[in-house]
Amino acid sequence: MTTLGREDIPLPAGLVLENTFTSMRDMATQVFPPLKFAGPLLRWPLLLDEWRSAESLRYFCQNHTDWACCLLSGERDEIVPAEQMRQLRAVLDEGRPRIVKYFKFPRGMHNDTPQQGGAEYWASYNKYLALVVADLQERRSRTAGASQG
């Protein structure tokens, strides 16, 4: 019986983040400014899950290149401030994946961005998926050509 090592686990071809925050600590201090003084305390064990999305994205950017990321942001999100999505975009700009798409929907709120974005939302999503599929096909053909040569 064999066990899978970290290098054996395939990366996803693409990641889609919609109205996502950078971390629970960032969310708490941005939504409730009086908590800024307690920021250093907002971690485990007080927060059982810190949801450190920015840190996870940074890890992917620093350790992998063959992946893609799409950010879909409702600019009127009443739960996760749109600034959080802009910060995630900045993380992606630090160490670019192969494909990065950032789509903003001015009327989108936290739970209705696809509805408020309408056809533009789905066209943006499909554009991203088409880029990911084309990139995968190109990489596969390049790999096949290298193994035959």
Side-chain angles (χ1 to χ4, degrees):
M1 176 164 89
T2 62
T3 59
L4 290 175
R6 287 189 97 139
E7 64 278 351
D8 298 325
I9 300 171
L11 284 174
L15 184 64
V16 176
L17 302 175
E18 180 181 307
N19 298 330
T20 303
F21 48 80
T22 57
S23 73
M24 276 296 201
R25 178 187 309 177
D26 293 345
M27 270 293 296
T29 58
Q30 187 169 0
V31 174
F32 303 110
L35 285 178
K36 282 195 190 281
F37 78 92
L41 300 174
L42 297 176
R43 59 183 176 79
W44 191 90
L46 187 59
L47 292 176
L48 297 179
D49 191 343
E50 297 178 52
W51 288 67
R52 297 182 303 205
S53 303
E55 186 177 311
S56 296
L57 276 181
R58 194 167 283 114
Y59 173 84
F60 267 83
C61 288
Q62 291 171 350
N63 293 286
H64 305 287
T65 55
D66 290 335
W67 66 291
C69 191
C70 177
L71 302 171
L72 302 165
S73 180
E75 295 294 294
R76 290 182 47 212
D77 190 328
E78 73 285 12
I79 296 173
V80 178
E83 174 59 28
Q84 299 273 318
M85 289 293 283
R86 288 190 281 279
Q87 290 173 13
L88 292 175
R89 170 58 195 253
V91 169
L92 291 170
D93 287 342
E94 292 170 12
R96 302 244 330 149
R98 289 176 70 85
I99 298 167
V100 176
K101 289 294 174 189
Y102 180 35
F103 301 105
K104 297 185 240 175
F105 303 94
R107 294 183 7 234
M109 296 176 75
H110 191 72
N111 292 314
D112 71 354
T113 300
Q115 292 85 2
Q116 293 298 324
E120 180 188 351
Y121 177 96
W122 295 109
S124 301
Y125 180 78
N126 287 326
K127 176 182 177 181
Y128 168 72
L129 288 181
L131 289 170
V132 171
V133 168
D135 183 60
L136 276 174
Q137 290 171 339
E138 187 266 325
R139 285 190 285 143
R140 285 182 180 148
S141 67
R142 209 177 35 217
T143 303
S147 65
Q148 291 175 358

